[in-house]
Amino acid sequence: MQKYSDIDSTDLRILSLLIENAALPYTEIGKRVFVSGGTVHVRMKKMEQLGIVKGSQLLIDPTKLGWDISAFLGVYLDKSSLYEQVASELERIPEVVNIHYTTGIYSIFVKIVCRDTGHLREILHDKIQKVNGIQRTETFISLEERINRSIPLTDE
């Protein structure tokens, strides 16, 4: 992984504040890191161009909207060379929210979110198991997500 020499402690403080609260106005961030709002804007554009900042998103609690099941799938592929094809097919399933290409016993580790166990069964049986290249899956239902955070940002 490339470490960018043009990222300094001010950039890291800006990122830390936005990770904590992405709705924070640049003027407020500027006050907290002792630069102008315009400087924050310029630095954010720089980090977007470098690919450090990939976008922003609104975080919701799916359970409050009736999506009560989070599950992880360990996916066994027929051949590891099928990863790109299988991952592309999995991306088309809206309930798939995360895909990781992994080492270990699974080729792919997937997170899905469903309304209930019936919906989970439907997604597994009618969508995921029908993807060409998937040999089999193992499903793990999450009972609780305790933590979901970003990496610690320091200039060390």
Side-chain angles (χ1 to χ4, degrees):
M1 178 191 273
Q2 182 178 0
K3 187 171 179 178
Y4 295 101
S5 60
D6 37 345
I7 298 300
D8 62 17
S9 61
T10 301
D11 292 322
L12 293 175
R13 289 193 335 255
I14 290 168
L15 289 175
S16 292
L17 288 168
L18 285 169
I19 287 169
E20 188 178 311
N21 179 2
L24 205 57
Y26 285 175
T27 52
E28 178 60 29
I29 294 168
K31 288 176 189 172
R32 293 186 190 185
V33 299
F34 307 109
V35 297
S36 71
T39 298
V40 173
H41 177 78
V42 168
R43 285 172 175 256
M44 284 301 296
K45 284 293 176 200
K46 172 187 72 175
M47 290 186 281
E48 286 173 17
Q49 291 168 349
L50 290 172
I52 294 167
V53 174
K54 296 176 12 177
S56 60
Q57 63 189 56
L58 179 67
L59 298 176
I60 61 166
D61 182 346
T63 62
K64 302 276 196 262
L65 298 171
W67 292 71
D68 292 330
I69 303 289
S70 288
F72 298 91
L73 307 177
V75 179
Y76 294 88
L77 296 178
D78 290 330
K79 297 184 297 188
S80 61
S81 61
L82 294 172
Y83 168 72
E84 287 296 334
Q85 173 188 328
V86 169
S88 292
E89 287 296 313
L90 291 172
E91 285 177 22
R92 296 169 132 152
I93 301 170
E95 293 84 356
V96 171
V97 297
N98 233 286
I99 299 173
H100 294 268
Y101 191 29
T102 61
T103 62
I105 62 173
Y106 309 114
S107 299
I108 303 174
F109 210 66
V110 176
K111 181 179 180 185
I112 62 175
V113 180
C114 300
R115 290 184 296 277
D116 52 38
T117 55
H119 186 209
L120 173 62
R121 183 196 172 286
E122 174 189 324
I123 298 307
L124 292 172
H125 184 266
D126 297 341
K127 294 183 179 181
I128 292 175
Q129 293 293 342
K130 292 189 176 173
V131 172
N132 287 329
I134 291 181
Q135 184 182 76
R136 66 187 173 101
T137 63
E138 291 184 19
T139 305
F140 308 88
I141 294 176
S142 172
L143 300 176
E144 173 190 43
E145 180 178 280
R146 179 66 174 250
I147 189 168
N148 182 359
R149 64 178 167 206
S150 185
I151 59 167
L153 297 177
T154 64
D155 57 351
E156 297 171 359

